[in-house]
Amino acid sequence: MTSPRKVTSCVLLAVGLLFAVGTVTAATPPASTVTVPSSAGQTVTDNWTGTILTGANATSSCAPPSTSPVDEHDVTIVVTPGTYDTIDATFTFSITWTPSSPDLTTSDEILTVLDPNGDEVGSSDGGTNVETVVALNLGPGTYKVLACGFANALPQPYNGKLEIKTTARTAEPSLPSAPAQGLQFSAAVASDNQRDQAEPLLEIDKAGNIYDCGPTGFSNASDYAQVSTDGGDQFHLLGTPPRGQQGAGGGGDCGIAFGTTTNSRGNYQYAYTGLGPLTGFVTSTSPNNGHSLATGGPFGNGVTDEGGGADRQWMTFVDDHTVLLSYNQQVPRNVVVQSSTDGGLTYGVDAARAARNPRFPGPMRYIGPSSTFPNGIVYFASDRTAADGDHINLSISQDRGLTWTDCLAAVAPGTTTLFATADHDSAGNIYVVYGENAKFHTYLVTLTANKVTGCNQSVIASTALPTVNPGFSAPTQVDRDAVRSTVFAWVTAGGAPGRVAVVFEGTETDGNPNSGNFKASWDIYVNQSLNALSTDPLNPPTFSQVKVTTHPFHYDSICLNGLSCDLSVPPGDRSMADFISLDTNPVSGKISVTWNRANKKPDEASGHVASPMVATQIAGPNLKGGTIGPVTRPVLRSSSTDPAGDALSSYSTTAVAAVPPDPFTTNEPAADFLSVAVGPEIDFNDGSTISPGGFTVTIRVADLSNTSLANTLARTGSQSLLWVFRFTNGYQDAAASARWNPVPGFTFGYNDYTLGGTPCESPAGSGEKCILYPGGTPIQGQVDQTTGTIRLSVPRSLLRALSGGTGPGQRPSELPAIVGSRFYDATMFSLGNTVFPLQSVQSFFYPFDNTPSMDFLLPSAGSGGGGGDTGCKVHGGGSIPTTGGEGKFNLDVHASGKGKVAYRGDGHDYNSTEIISLECTSTTTATIRSSGFDGNTQVNNVVVNVSDGGESSVNDTFSISGLSSGYNRSGTLTKGNIQVMH
C-alpha cells in the first residue's frame, strides 16, 4: 500500500521543480553566535524565524542540491579551550510550525544541520509539525541550519531554536577484561620504511599473502601498496620501482580485494582502486599477487546512472573475477555499487543504490554461497545521524550487488569515530563494531546467520532511515580496564563462531581527543572475544585487552571533526587521518594489525609522515579455533635471523590496460640479509668495549664482493646502496647506516628523524612527504667484504630513552639512554639510491630486503671485546655550531696509528684515510693529525684538537682545520661526548 505522504510528495515534487533547484532564503536573523557554557547545569538558547517556500524534496534532507527551496540560519558555535574535558554539551536544533495549508501532509517540512565542512550533522523528517536534530559536543565553527519542504503546498512560516544544555562528565567504572590467554603480537615492522601512507588498509588473501595500502594525498596523486608473502616479516613494494605506483592517479583513498577462488594461474586475483580528487578512481588488477599489474583509469566509475562525485571506496570479489566497488557518491549522497567482470580493471556505469545518505560507509564483505544463500551475501555497515542519536545500519545484497536492503543495527549516543566496520565468521554470523564521539567507547553488536535475511527494508523505496532491527544483540562495550578514550575501531572474525578481534587506538586519558588541549599517550590495542555470541545473562560476551605497541605511537589530540579541528583553539590534530585496520590470516589464523606512526612528540601541533606499521600475532587464541604458539621469537631480543634469497629486485611492474609479462624478479645477494645482532659498543681498532658506550650492530649479508655490489647497481639503476638500521630512539625513529658507491667505497652515518618534501625530495621541498636516511652524523663503521659482515657503532651520546608513566594525562619524558634503556621496532632495510651516488641527495629508494623487527635493550660494556691497545686514545662524536647550522664529527683514534676521523658540515665531508699522529697533550686534551678526502678533494694535513670536560658535552671542545678551501671550525659541543683516555 502506498502511503498518502508518498503520493503527496510525488505530486508536489513536480510543483517544486518550477522553482530553481537550490534556492536559498535567509532566516531572521540570518546568523548568530552562541558560546557553549564552560560549567555544568547551564542552558543557552538561540531563536530565529523563517519561511519555507513551496516545494517538495523526496530525499528527506535539505543538504545541497535540494530539490525544494531552503531557508537557512547560520549559527557560529564558540567553544572555549578545555570545555569538553569536564562537561558534555547536548545541542538540540528544532523547528516548529502551524500548517499553513492547513494539512500536515501538505505542510510537511525537513530540518537538516550541516557542520563547518558541509557534512551532515543530522536530518529530521518525521512527518509531524516538530523536527529535531540532536548532537553532542559539537566542535567550534559555523553550522548551517536548513529548513525545506518534504511536501509544502504553501509558504510555511516556522520558528527555529537551538538549545545547548551542559552536564558534568562523570567518572565511569572500569569494565574488567577477560584473561588474555597469552595473546601477544610481534614488534612492529614498517611495511614501507619511507612513504607517507595514511589510512592503512590491511587485507589478507586466502593463500595468506598480506597486503596493505594507503593514500598520500590528492596533491601527489598517489597511493602505495605492499605485500608480505612470509607472514608479515617482510613487505615488497607493488608497482614499478623505485616509486611503486600501481596506477597514474589516486591519492585520496585506496581499496584492495582478492578473488574468492583461484584464477587460471592458481592465484587469487588482486584488484586495487585509488580515489582521485572526488571524481573517480584509478584501477589495477593482477593475476599473480601483484607481480604484474594492469592499470586502468576512472572510465565510468565515479559517474554512474545514480549520480556523480565519489568518496571513500571499498571492494569485494564475489567469485574469481567479479569485483564489486562501493563508494559514497556525493550528488546525491548515497552509497552506490558498481561491478567489474574483468578482475577490477574496468567498471560499468550501471550502479545499485546500497545505502541512503550515510556519513561513513564501512568496508564491504562477502559471505560465500550456501544452501540458505545460494548467491551469498554482500554486506557493509554505515552510520547516519537522527534525532535520537547516530544510527548504525547494515546493508545487504542477496544477488551479488544488484539490489540492496538495509536494517538498523544499533543507535550510538554520538557520531561514529569514524567508520562502522563489519565482518563474519565461518558460519555466516555478522559482527558490527563502531566507536562513538560522545564518551569515546567502542561497541560490538552481533547478528546470527539465521536472522540476516530479516535485514529487508528496501533501500530505494524510501529515503527514510531504516527502522527494522532483525535481531542484533544489545551493544557490548569492547574497551576495558583503564582505557578511557578510543577511536578508529575495526573488526575481524573469519574463523570459529563467537571468536572475534577488535583493534582501536586507545588511551587512559578521559576527555575529548578532538580538543587541541587533550594530553595523552596513545597505544594500539587488540581486544579479543571468544564468546561474542553468548546470550547467557550469567555468561555475557567478554573481551580480553592487549597492547600491541610496546611504546606510545602517538601523543595528545586525535581529531575527528574535519575543518572544526583547524578552527579549535588550539587546533586538534588530524594527522592520524580516518582509520586503522586488521585482518585474520585464513591459513594460519594469526591476526595482523596495521596503523600509522607519524613520529609526533608530546605538545607538537601534529604528526609528520604517516609511516605504515604492521604487527602480527605470535601467541594466544586462534580465531579459527585452538591456540597459536609457543613464542619462538620474543619481541625483546638482541638478534634476528633472516632467510636467504628474499632481497628481490624487479618484484612488480605496471602497464596500461593489459597485464604485462612477469617481471624478471631477481635476488640481490648484496642486499640479502642473513642476520642482525646488537651488542656493546666496540672499538673497531682493538676490539675492546667502550664504556660508557652505546651499541654496535653486526649485520651479515649474503655477498658484499665488489662484483655483487656492482651487479645490483646495474640491475636496478641505483647509483649507491644503503644498509639501514632503523629503530625508535626515544620519541622518534632514527637510523644508522652503511653506504656504498664505487668511488669512495663504504661510508657510515647516523641521522635522527629526517623528512623529505613533495613528492619525495632531498634537500626537502615543500611539505613532509617521505622519510630519508642521509646519515649526516659520522659514526664508526667496518666492513669485511670477504665474510659479508657490516658493523655499525652508535655512541651513547646519540641515544635517548623514554621514562615515566602513560596513565591519564601523562606522557613519558625523553632522557639520555642508560644501560637497560629500551629501543623499539628495530629493523634492517637494504635500499638503492637511484638519483645520486652520495646521500646528500635522496628520493624514492629502490627497496630490497628487511629483517624481522625487534625491541632491544642498551647492553652493558661488561661483555665482549678485549683488553684493547695501551697508550693514548681519543673516542667520541657530536656537534659544534657552524655558519650553516652544525658540524658533526666522529673520532676513534689510537696512538698506534689506528683509527678514523670524520667531519661533515658547511658542505664539507671529510673522511680520513691515514692517521699521521695522535698526541695526548694533557690528561684531558689531544691533537690528531690525519690525511684523507674532503668530498673528492685530497687533503694531507688535517688537524683536530679536542678537550674532554667530563661525561657531559657541556665542557667538551672540538676544532678542525686544514680542509679544502682553507676551511676551519671550532666550538664547544652542543651535543655528544669526547673521551681522552690513557
Side-chain angles (χ1 to χ4, degrees):
M1 176 178 175
T2 304
S3 70
R5 189 166 185 257
K6 290 180 182 176
V7 172
T8 304
S9 69
C10 291
V11 173
L12 288 176
L13 181 58
V15 176
L17 290 176
L18 297 175
F19 293 83
V21 173
T23 298
V24 178
T25 57
T28 304
S32 59
T33 299
V34 180
T35 299
V36 178
S38 57
S39 59
Q42 304 298 306
T43 300
V44 295
T45 59
D46 178 37
N47 296 279
W48 64 95
T49 60
T51 299
I52 305 168
L53 298 180
T54 303
N57 184 339
T59 67
S60 297
S61 172
C62 303
S66 172
T67 58
S68 61
V70 172
D71 198 65
E72 178 177 331
H73 175 72
D74 294 347
V75 55
T76 298
I77 294 173
V78 178
V79 185
T80 303
T83 295
Y84 295 145
D85 293 341
T86 56
I87 62 105
D88 288 317
T90 301
F91 295 74
T92 303
F93 300 86
S94 64
I95 58 172
T96 60
W97 68 95
T98 301
S100 58
S101 60
D103 192 328
L104 259 179
T105 60
T106 52
S107 294
D108 192 353
E109 316 303 340
I110 305 168
L111 172 65
T112 297
V113 180
L114 303 181
D115 70 13
N117 300 310
D119 294 329
E120 194 170 298
V121 174
S123 284
S124 179
D125 182 19
T128 71
N129 69 328
V130 179
E131 299 294 350
T132 303
V133 171
V134 179
L136 188 69
N137 295 345
L138 291 178
T142 299
Y143 291 74
K144 296 182 184 297
V145 187
L146 310 178
C148 65
F150 177 85
N152 203 31
L154 295 172
Q156 177 62 63
Y158 73 95
N159 295 310
K161 181 179 181 180
L162 166 61
E163 181 180 82
I164 306 174
K165 289 187 174 181
T166 60
T167 56
R169 276 186 171 257
T170 57
E172 295 180 284
S174 297
L175 292 180
S177 63
Q181 299 186 37
L183 180 62
Q184 295 181 56
F185 288 82
S186 67
V189 63
S191 58
D192 192 292
N193 64 77
Q194 191 179 28
R195 287 159 183 77
D196 185 35
Q197 194 167 303
E199 297 178 2
L201 175 62
L202 185 145
E203 303 278 1
I204 307 176
D205 72 13
K206 288 187 175 180
N209 298 309
I210 305 171
Y211 295 78
D212 76 340
C213 71
T216 192
F218 293 140
S219 62
N220 274 8
S222 300
D223 302 308
Y224 300 112
Q226 299 80 27
V227 61
S228 173
T229 60
D230 62 1
D233 283 343
Q234 178 187 3
F235 284 80
H236 302 283
L237 179 68
L238 297 185
T240 305
R243 184 160 184 179
Q245 290 178 272
Q246 297 179 88
D253 292 305
C254 76
I256 51 178
F258 323 103
T260 62
T261 56
T262 55
N263 56 26
S264 60
R265 298 185 61 171
N267 303 311
Y268 294 95
Q269 191 79 19
Y270 167 82
Y272 150 84
T273 55
L275 174 67
L278 303 182
T279 53
F281 306 93
V282 64
T283 61
S284 293
T285 186
S286 172
N288 57 355
N289 306 327
H291 285 290
S292 303
L293 287 154
T295 180
F299 301 111
N301 51 311
V303 179
T304 74
D305 57 356
E306 287 286 333
D311 197 4
R312 188 59 261 183
Q313 80 279 18
W314 307 102
M315 306 164 68
T316 191
F317 276 77
V318 293
D319 54 31
D320 66 335
H321 65 281
T322 305
V323 190
L324 301 183
L325 171 68
S326 69
Y327 56 91
N328 209 354
Q329 183 180 266
Q330 299 301 289
V331 183
R333 191 177 175 94
N334 295 304
V335 174
V336 297
V337 177
Q338 292 176 261
S339 178
S340 168
T341 58
D342 59 5
L345 185 62
T346 60
Y347 293 82
V349 297
D350 292 338
R353 199 181 318 159
R356 295 154 287 189
N357 195 23
R359 290 181 68 251
F360 291 96
M364 189 165 45
R365 305 297 187 195
Y366 178 59
I367 303 172
S370 65
S371 57
T372 308
F373 311 125
N375 291 315
I377 295 285
V378 187
Y379 66 95
F380 64 89
S382 64
D383 77 303
R384 180 178 167 186
T385 53
D388 60 340
D390 198 34
H391 284 218
I392 312 302
N393 303 315
L394 184 73
S395 293
I396 72 166
S397 173
Q398 299 184 58
D399 54 12
R400 300 191 177 194
L402 295 177
T403 60
W404 292 80
T405 56
D406 62 3
C407 56
L408 175 65
V411 178
T415 54
T416 54
T417 61
L418 288 167
F419 293 94
T421 64
D423 202 6
H424 62 276
D425 61 29
S426 58
N429 304 303
I430 293 176
Y431 306 82
V432 177
V433 162
Y434 58 93
E436 46 79 21
N437 210 337
K439 298 294 186 181
F440 294 93
H441 291 305
T442 294
Y443 294 94
L444 166 79
V445 293
T446 62
L447 183 68
T448 53
N450 62 320
K451 298 176 181 177
V452 170
T453 54
C455 191
N456 57 12
Q457 290 186 259
S458 172
V459 170
I460 61 173
S462 169
T463 60
L465 281 160
T467 57
V468 172
N469 185 325
F472 275 93
S473 66
T476 296
Q477 184 175 319
V478 176
D479 51 293
R480 301 292 169 119
D481 300 334
V483 171
R484 283 293 178 270
S485 301
T486 69
V487 296
F488 301 158
W490 196 279
V491 65
T492 182
R499 293 195 170 205
V500 64
V502 178
V503 67
F504 56 79
E505 298 177 0
T507 177
E508 295 182 19
T509 299
D510 198 1
N512 184 358
N514 293 299
S515 168
N517 289 308
F518 193 76
K519 304 302 181 186
S521 297
W522 291 87
D523 281 282
I524 302 297
Y525 290 84
V526 166
N527 288 19
Q528 192 178 57
S529 178
L530 306 182
N531 65 339
L533 296 175
S534 175
T535 57
D536 182 356
L538 300 178
N539 182 33
T542 58
F543 276 93
S544 63
Q545 183 162 284
V546 169
K547 275 186 185 181
V548 177
T549 44
T550 55
H551 62 108
F553 80 99
H554 184 79
Y555 296 100
D556 302 338
S557 169
I558 297 178
C559 193
L560 315 175
N561 288 342
L563 183 60
S564 293
C565 299
D566 301 326
L567 297 175
S568 298
V569 181
D573 180 5
R574 300 171 66 185
S575 63
M576 286 292 97
D578 290 349
F579 67 85
I580 60 176
S581 57
L582 82 170
D583 201 7
T584 303
N585 193 313
V587 176
S588 67
K590 294 180 178 180
I591 301 164
S592 288
V593 185
T594 186
W595 66 93
N596 286 140
R597 173 167 158 74
N599 279 268
K600 180 183 180 180
K601 296 180 179 180
D603 297 321
E604 284 191 304
S606 67
H608 304 283
V609 167
S611 191
M613 308 299 293
V614 176
T616 296
Q617 184 181 0
I618 57 175
N622 188 322
L623 290 186
K624 294 177 66 177
T627 302
I628 293 167
V631 175
T632 58
R633 193 173 61 197
V635 171
L636 185 63
R637 59 187 191 274
S638 59
S639 63
S640 293
T641 58
D642 191 65
D646 61 348
L648 303 181
S649 63
S650 300
Y651 187 87
S652 179
T653 189
T654 306
V656 176
V659 175
D662 289 5
F664 294 102
T665 302
T666 304
N667 181 58
E668 300 292 344
D672 190 8
F673 294 121
L674 303 179
S675 65
V676 59
V678 175
E681 185 182 4
I682 301 297
D683 186 327
F684 295 153
N685 294 306
D686 61 12
S688 63
T689 56
I690 294 171
S691 180
F695 64 82
T696 293
V697 55
T698 301
I699 307 110
R700 290 289 313 283
V701 180
D703 187 353
L704 288 177
S705 66
N706 287 335
T707 299
S708 179
L709 295 166
N711 286 342
T712 295
L713 290 187
R715 278 192 290 262
T716 63
S718 298
Q719 299 190 48
S720 54
L721 300 177
L722 297 87
W723 300 262
V724 177
F725 184 69
R726 169 172 147 165
F727 61 102
T728 303
N729 186 21
Y731 290 134
Q732 294 186 316
D733 295 334
S737 57
R739 298 79 61 84
W740 179 88
N741 77 60
V743 178
F746 286 93
T747 60
F748 312 95
Y750 166 92
N751 60 266
D752 289 322
Y753 188 57
T754 304
L755 302 178
T758 300
C760 182
E761 297 177 349
S762 167
S766 61
E768 297 178 339
K769 276 299 176 186
C770 67
I771 301 171
L772 302 175
Y773 303 100
T777 299
I779 58 173
Q780 276 199 90
Q782 186 182 72
V783 175
D784 185 333
Q785 291 183 259
T786 303
T787 62
T789 303
I790 300 172
R791 294 203 293 177
L792 303 169
S793 281
V794 181
R796 187 179 295 193
S797 61
L798 297 174
L799 300 176
R800 300 176 292 277
L802 298 181
S803 177
T806 58
Q810 295 180 331
R811 292 86 50 84
S813 299
E814 187 179 74
L815 302 174
I818 61 174
V819 171
S821 292
R822 186 163 180 164
F823 305 98
Y824 309 97
D825 303 329
T827 314
M828 285 298 310
F829 294 96
S830 53
L831 308 165
N833 184 341
T834 64
V835 298
F836 205 63
L838 305 176
Q839 305 318 311
S840 55
V841 179
Q842 297 179 339
S843 184
F844 293 104
F845 291 121
Y846 197 122
F848 300 116
D849 194 10
N850 69 261
T851 61
S853 57
M854 65 181 182
D855 288 5
F856 67 95
L857 303 180
L858 183 62
S860 69
S863 58
D869 292 341
T870 59
C872 180
K873 301 180 188 179
V874 176
H875 176 82
S879 302
I880 59 172
T882 68
T883 304
E886 61 179 356
K888 302 175 181 179
F889 66 90
N890 184 265
L891 307 167
D892 184 37
V893 182
H894 291 216
S896 62
K898 299 176 183 177
K900 184 84 171 180
V901 175
Y903 176 86
R904 291 171 194 156
D906 292 335
H908 293 266
D909 186 356
Y910 174 69
N911 290 276
S912 66
T913 56
E914 179 187 5
I915 301 299
I916 299 172
S917 66
L918 166 62
E919 180 184 2
C920 285
T921 53
S922 74
T923 57
T924 59
T925 60
T927 298
I928 306 164
R929 287 180 168 82
S930 65
S931 60
F933 285 86
D934 185 3
N936 292 324
T937 302
Q938 185 169 354
V939 286
N940 295 316
N941 188 25
V942 176
V943 179
V944 170
N945 288 288
V946 298
S947 65
D948 178 0
E951 290 306 311
S952 169
S953 63
V954 174
N955 298 312
D956 291 357
T957 65
F958 171 90
S959 71
I960 187 168
S961 62
L963 298 184
S964 61
S965 304
Y967 177 87
N968 63 87
R969 281 294 178 271
S970 63
T972 300
L973 272 61
T974 56
K975 57 185 175 182
N977 186 42
I978 295 172
Q979 294 175 291
V980 176
M981 299 170 283
H982 296 269

